[in-house]
Amino acid sequence: RVTDRMARGAALAARLNKRTAARLCDRSEPLGDNEIQSLFSYAESHDHREGVRAFLAGEEPIFSGD
């Protein structure tokens, strides 16, 4: 199920995505530079690196919340 898959995902990415979606629903103007930078800050996280590593290895990622 989709909800099970989402629950196994990286919590930090989910929070960033939910915050961005809520912001885009609240206001019609595009994201500002700081908001975009916040989205890309996830790329430096442990969970992002783990997700990429697991994808390339064909394995399930083990996310830590970092």
Side-chain angles (χ1 to χ4, degrees):
R1 293 188 334 217
V2 172
T3 54
D4 293 335
R5 188 170 177 198
M6 289 172 63
R8 289 190 315 267
L12 179 57
R15 282 193 300 273
L16 286 169
N17 290 333
K18 286 169 63 176
R19 182 176 61 208
T20 301
R23 161 45 184 90
L24 290 170
C25 288
D26 288 344
R27 297 184 290 187
S28 61
E29 67 264 8
L31 295 174
D33 290 339
N34 288 341
E35 293 168 309
I36 292 170
Q37 187 61 37
S38 175
L39 282 173
F40 283 100
S41 68
Y42 178 70
E44 298 299 320
S45 71
H46 173 270
D47 278 355
H48 182 265
R49 289 189 303 272
E50 169 61 9
V52 171
R53 183 210 62 76
F55 175 79
L56 292 175
E59 300 172 357
E60 284 290 318
I62 300 172
F63 296 118
S64 64
D66 298 323

